[in-house]
Amino acid sequence: YTLTKEPIAVQKEKTKQEACKTVFQKADSFRSIEDVKEETQSILDQAGFDQESIDEIYEACDQSGQKIGYVLSVTSKEGYGGDINFMMGIDMEGVLNGIEIISINETAGLGMKAKEPDFINQFSDRKVQQFTLTKGGASQDYEIDALSGATVTSNAMVNGVNAGLTYFNAICAKGGAETDE
């Protein structure tokens, strides 16, 4: 354990940084915001997202160090195969740049399709207050077309993203989340 602890931690951080860059390509750097877990959970619980959590928050910064948005690490406990953890990037205008799944353990050929571009890209470049899951094909910006045979996974992802949007709209969009610097 002692021998592998440090390399595992380094790899986890590298994965997080790569995911941040994937969901916020315009950013040059990311600053972690500490000690917000209790505040975030209270906001999510009040909005009815008691199966979701925001585990980490990063400020996305441009080349000059100016904040241009946020990256949130979100966990949904509603997955069919367990927790689903992903990152989502939101600019200061409230546009969701996209999401990147960090860990998922859904059914092969069904829920695991949540990692595929056809599903993931539905969340890209959208400015909405909340997403709605649909089964007949998404026709509005706020609609996400469910994965066939994987409604539980689709619902978990939509609820997780909606939890992140709820937090962003409650705190980040108002400039409330701050780094410890």
Side-chain angles (χ1 to χ4, degrees):
Y1 171 77
T2 305
L3 293 174
T4 59
K5 180 180 177 184
E6 183 67 25
I8 289 171
V10 167
Q11 185 58 43
K12 273 185 158 180
E13 186 57 34
K14 181 180 176 193
T15 300
K16 286 179 193 175
Q17 289 296 314
E18 288 171 356
C20 283
K21 191 63 179 165
T22 298
V23 300
F24 217 117
Q25 295 177 5
K26 293 179 184 174
D28 288 304
S29 64
F30 302 94
R31 291 189 297 238
S32 180
I33 299 173
E34 306 291 330
D35 300 326
V36 293
K37 194 135 178 118
E38 189 173 311
E39 173 188 69
T40 59
Q41 201 56 53
S42 174
I43 290 167
L44 298 183
D45 288 348
Q46 287 175 9
F49 294 109
D50 60 343
Q51 296 298 303
E52 287 72 32
S53 63
I54 296 175
D55 308 310
E56 294 178 89
I57 302 171
Y58 299 89
E59 284 183 351
C61 302
D62 65 12
Q63 200 169 21
S64 68
Q66 289 293 109
K67 177 174 53 179
I68 57 174
Y70 292 91
V71 174
L72 308 176
S73 172
V74 180
T75 299
S76 175
K77 295 170 184 57
E78 297 181 274
Y80 186 78
D83 292 355
I84 300 172
N85 178 252
F86 62 93
M87 304 287 258
M88 60 189 285
I90 310 169
D91 72 18
M92 293 306 291
E93 284 75 47
V95 176
L96 176 61
N97 297 328
I99 64 173
E100 175 79 2
I101 294 177
I102 302 295
S103 66
I104 185 170
N105 192 26
E106 300 296 276
T107 306
L110 297 172
M112 288 303 285
K113 287 185 178 182
K115 292 182 81 170
E116 294 179 5
D118 284 348
F119 184 74
I120 291 281
N121 290 341
Q122 293 183 85
F123 295 98
S124 296
D125 300 318
R126 303 280 179 100
K127 183 176 181 175
V128 301
Q129 292 295 308
Q130 298 281 281
F131 286 101
T132 302
L133 194 62
T134 182
K135 293 183 181 182
S139 61
Q140 303 291 323
D141 274 354
Y142 62 86
E143 292 179 328
I144 300 295
D145 196 22
L147 294 164
S148 180
T151 306
V152 172
T153 304
S154 301
N155 191 58
M157 291 298 301
V158 167
N159 284 343
V161 171
N162 284 344
L165 290 171
T166 296
Y167 177 76
F168 174 83
N169 289 321
I171 299 296
C172 299
K174 295 176 175 73
E178 297 295 331
T179 59
D180 286 345
E181 293 182 20

PDB file of all heavy atoms in Angstrom, residues 15-29:
ATOM      1  N   THR A  15      -5.500  12.453 -14.015  1.00  0.00           N
ATOM      2  CA  THR A  15      -6.795  12.163 -14.640  1.00  0.00           C
ATOM      3  C   THR A  15      -7.764  13.324 -14.436  1.00  0.00           C
ATOM      4  O   THR A  15      -8.474  13.727 -15.354  1.00  0.00           O
ATOM      5  CB  THR A  15      -7.384  10.860 -14.074  1.00  0.00           C
ATOM      6  OG1 THR A  15      -6.472   9.792 -14.340  1.00  0.00           O
ATOM      7  CG2 THR A  15      -8.739  10.537 -14.671  1.00  0.00           C
ATOM      8  N   LYS A  16      -7.785  13.888 -13.231  1.00  0.00           N
ATOM      9  CA  LYS A  16      -8.667  15.025 -12.939  1.00  0.00           C
ATOM     10  C   LYS A  16      -8.290  16.235 -13.786  1.00  0.00           C
ATOM     11  O   LYS A  16      -9.162  16.903 -14.344  1.00  0.00           O
ATOM     12  CB  LYS A  16      -8.585  15.399 -11.458  1.00  0.00           C
ATOM     13  CG  LYS A  16      -9.280  14.436 -10.536  1.00  0.00           C
ATOM     14  CD  LYS A  16      -9.113  14.904  -9.109  1.00  0.00           C
ATOM     15  CE  LYS A  16      -9.513  13.847  -8.141  1.00  0.00           C
ATOM     16  NZ  LYS A  16      -9.243  14.254  -6.753  1.00  0.00           N
ATOM     17  N   GLN A  17      -6.992  16.524 -13.872  1.00  0.00           N
ATOM     18  CA  GLN A  17      -6.548  17.684 -14.651  1.00  0.00           C
ATOM     19  C   GLN A  17      -6.883  17.511 -16.136  1.00  0.00           C
ATOM     20  O   GLN A  17      -7.289  18.458 -16.803  1.00  0.00           O
ATOM     21  CB  GLN A  17      -5.047  17.935 -14.452  1.00  0.00           C
ATOM     22  CG  GLN A  17      -4.695  18.468 -13.079  1.00  0.00           C
ATOM     23  CD  GLN A  17      -5.308  19.840 -12.813  1.00  0.00           C
ATOM     24  OE1 GLN A  17      -5.262  20.739 -13.650  1.00  0.00           O
ATOM     25  NE2 GLN A  17      -5.900  20.004 -11.634  1.00  0.00           N
ATOM     26  N   GLU A  18      -6.703  16.300 -16.650  1.00  0.00           N
ATOM     27  CA  GLU A  18      -7.050  16.029 -18.050  1.00  0.00           C
ATOM     28  C   GLU A  18      -8.551  16.189 -18.278  1.00  0.00           C
ATOM     29  O   GLU A  18      -8.983  16.729 -19.295  1.00  0.00           O
ATOM     30  CB  GLU A  18      -6.592  14.625 -18.451  1.00  0.00           C
ATOM     31  CG  GLU A  18      -5.084  14.500 -18.587  1.00  0.00           C
ATOM     32  CD  GLU A  18      -4.603  13.071 -18.778  1.00  0.00           C
ATOM     33  OE1 GLU A  18      -5.433  12.124 -18.743  1.00  0.00           O
ATOM     34  OE2 GLU A  18      -3.387  12.892 -18.946  1.00  0.00           O
ATOM     35  N   ALA A  19      -9.355  15.721 -17.319  1.00  0.00           N
ATOM     36  CA  ALA A  19     -10.811  15.857 -17.430  1.00  0.00           C
ATOM     37  C   ALA A  19     -11.204  17.333 -17.371  1.00  0.00           C
ATOM     38  O   ALA A  19     -12.091  17.768 -18.117  1.00  0.00           O
ATOM     39  CB  ALA A  19     -11.513  15.070 -16.332  1.00  0.00           C
ATOM     40  N   CYS A  20     -10.556  18.106 -16.515  1.00  0.00           N
ATOM     41  CA  CYS A  20     -10.828  19.551 -16.438  1.00  0.00           C
ATOM     42  C   CYS A  20     -10.576  20.187 -17.799  1.00  0.00           C
ATOM     43  O   CYS A  20     -11.394  20.976 -18.286  1.00  0.00           O
ATOM     44  CB  CYS A  20      -9.940  20.219 -15.388  1.00  0.00           C
ATOM     45  SG  CYS A  20     -10.435  19.960 -13.678  1.00  0.00           S
ATOM     46  N   LYS A  21      -9.461  19.854 -18.401  1.00  0.00           N
ATOM     47  CA  LYS A  21      -9.112  20.430 -19.702  1.00  0.00           C
ATOM     48  C   LYS A  21     -10.101  19.983 -20.780  1.00  0.00           C
ATOM     49  O   LYS A  21     -10.457  20.767 -21.654  1.00  0.00           O
ATOM     50  CB  LYS A  21      -7.678  20.035 -20.084  1.00  0.00           C
ATOM     51  CG  LYS A  21      -7.147  20.785 -21.263  1.00  0.00           C
ATOM     52  CD  LYS A  21      -7.049  22.278 -20.975  1.00  0.00           C
ATOM     53  CE  LYS A  21      -6.493  23.025 -22.172  1.00  0.00           C
ATOM     54  NZ  LYS A  21      -6.680  24.454 -22.099  1.00  0.00           N
ATOM     55  N   THR A  22     -10.582  18.755 -20.689  1.00  0.00           N
ATOM     56  CA  THR A  22     -11.558  18.257 -21.667  1.00  0.00           C
ATOM     57  C   THR A  22     -12.867  19.032 -21.589  1.00  0.00           C
ATOM     58  O   THR A  22     -13.448  19.370 -22.622  1.00  0.00           O
ATOM     59  CB  THR A  22     -11.823  16.752 -21.443  1.00  0.00           C
ATOM     60  OG1 THR A  22     -10.596  16.043 -21.651  1.00  0.00           O
ATOM     61  CG2 THR A  22     -12.874  16.219 -22.397  1.00  0.00           C
ATOM     62  N   VAL A  23     -13.324  19.333 -20.381  1.00  0.00           N
ATOM     63  CA  VAL A  23     -14.625  20.004 -20.232  1.00  0.00           C
ATOM     64  C   VAL A  23     -14.523  21.527 -20.232  1.00  0.00           C
ATOM     65  O   VAL A  23     -15.540  22.209 -20.232  1.00  0.00           O
ATOM     66  CB  VAL A  23     -15.394  19.526 -18.975  1.00  0.00           C
ATOM     67  CG1 VAL A  23     -15.651  18.035 -19.049  1.00  0.00           C
ATOM     68  CG2 VAL A  23     -14.682  19.903 -17.694  1.00  0.00           C
ATOM     69  N   PHE A  24     -13.279  22.030 -20.232  1.00  0.00           N
ATOM     70  CA  PHE A  24     -13.084  23.484 -20.292  1.00  0.00           C
ATOM     71  C   PHE A  24     -11.834  23.785 -21.089  1.00  0.00           C
ATOM     72  O   PHE A  24     -10.812  24.211 -20.559  1.00  0.00           O
ATOM     73  CB  PHE A  24     -12.993  24.089 -18.888  1.00  0.00           C
ATOM     74  CG  PHE A  24     -13.637  25.431 -18.786  1.00  0.00           C
ATOM     75  CD1 PHE A  24     -14.728  25.621 -17.964  1.00  0.00           C
ATOM     76  CD2 PHE A  24     -13.170  26.513 -19.525  1.00  0.00           C
ATOM     77  CE1 PHE A  24     -15.350  26.852 -17.876  1.00  0.00           C
ATOM     78  CE2 PHE A  24     -13.776  27.738 -19.446  1.00  0.00           C
ATOM     79  CZ  PHE A  24     -14.871  27.919 -18.617  1.00  0.00           C
ATOM     80  N   GLN A  25     -11.928  23.573 -22.395  1.00  0.00           N
ATOM     81  CA  GLN A  25     -10.771  23.693 -23.270  1.00  0.00           C
ATOM     82  C   GLN A  25     -10.210  25.104 -23.355  1.00  0.00           C
ATOM     83  O   GLN A  25      -9.029  25.274 -23.647  1.00  0.00           O
ATOM     84  CB  GLN A  25     -11.123  23.170 -24.667  1.00  0.00           C
ATOM     85  CG  GLN A  25     -11.411  21.684 -24.646  1.00  0.00           C
ATOM     86  CD  GLN A  25     -11.825  21.147 -25.999  1.00  0.00           C
ATOM     87  OE1 GLN A  25     -11.831  21.838 -26.997  1.00  0.00           O
ATOM     88  NE2 GLN A  25     -12.187  19.869 -26.015  1.00  0.00           N
ATOM     89  N   LYS A  26     -11.017  26.118 -23.108  1.00  0.00           N
ATOM     90  CA  LYS A  26     -10.545  27.500 -23.190  1.00  0.00           C
ATOM     91  C   LYS A  26      -9.696  27.903 -21.992  1.00  0.00           C
ATOM     92  O   LYS A  26      -9.037  28.933 -22.023  1.00  0.00           O
ATOM     93  CB  LYS A  26     -11.733  28.456 -23.311  1.00  0.00           C
ATOM     94  CG  LYS A  26     -12.487  28.330 -24.612  1.00  0.00           C
ATOM     95  CD  LYS A  26     -13.662  29.278 -24.643  1.00  0.00           C
ATOM     96  CE  LYS A  26     -14.470  29.066 -25.910  1.00  0.00           C
ATOM     97  NZ  LYS A  26     -15.701  29.867 -25.909  1.00  0.00           N
ATOM     98  N   ALA A  27      -9.705  27.113 -20.940  1.00  0.00           N
ATOM     99  CA  ALA A  27      -8.962  27.451 -19.727  1.00  0.00           C
ATOM    100  C   ALA A  27      -7.494  27.037 -19.861  1.00  0.00           C
ATOM    101  O   ALA A  27      -7.167  26.031 -20.481  1.00  0.00           O
ATOM    102  CB  ALA A  27      -9.586  26.771 -18.514  1.00  0.00           C
ATOM    103  N   ASP A  28      -6.629  27.844 -19.243  1.00  0.00           N
ATOM    104  CA  ASP A  28      -5.197  27.544 -19.210  1.00  0.00           C
ATOM    105  C   ASP A  28      -4.787  26.889 -17.899  1.00  0.00           C
ATOM    106  O   ASP A  28      -3.770  26.206 -17.842  1.00  0.00           O
ATOM    107  CB  ASP A  28      -4.382  28.824 -19.424  1.00  0.00           C
ATOM    108  CG  ASP A  28      -4.468  29.313 -20.853  1.00  0.00           C
ATOM    109  OD1 ASP A  28      -4.129  28.533 -21.757  1.00  0.00           O
ATOM    110  OD2 ASP A  28      -4.892  30.461 -21.069  1.00  0.00           O
ATOM    111  N   SER A  29      -5.568  27.138 -16.846  1.00  0.00           N
ATOM    112  CA  SER A  29      -5.239  26.541 -15.551  1.00  0.00           C
ATOM    113  C   SER A  29      -6.515  26.364 -14.734  1.00  0.00           C
ATOM    114  O   SER A  29      -7.552  26.948 -15.044  1.00  0.00           O
ATOM    115  CB  SER A  29      -4.239  27.420 -14.793  1.00  0.00           C
ATOM    116  OG  SER A  29      -4.824  28.678 -14.501  1.00  0.00           O
TER     117      SER A  29
END
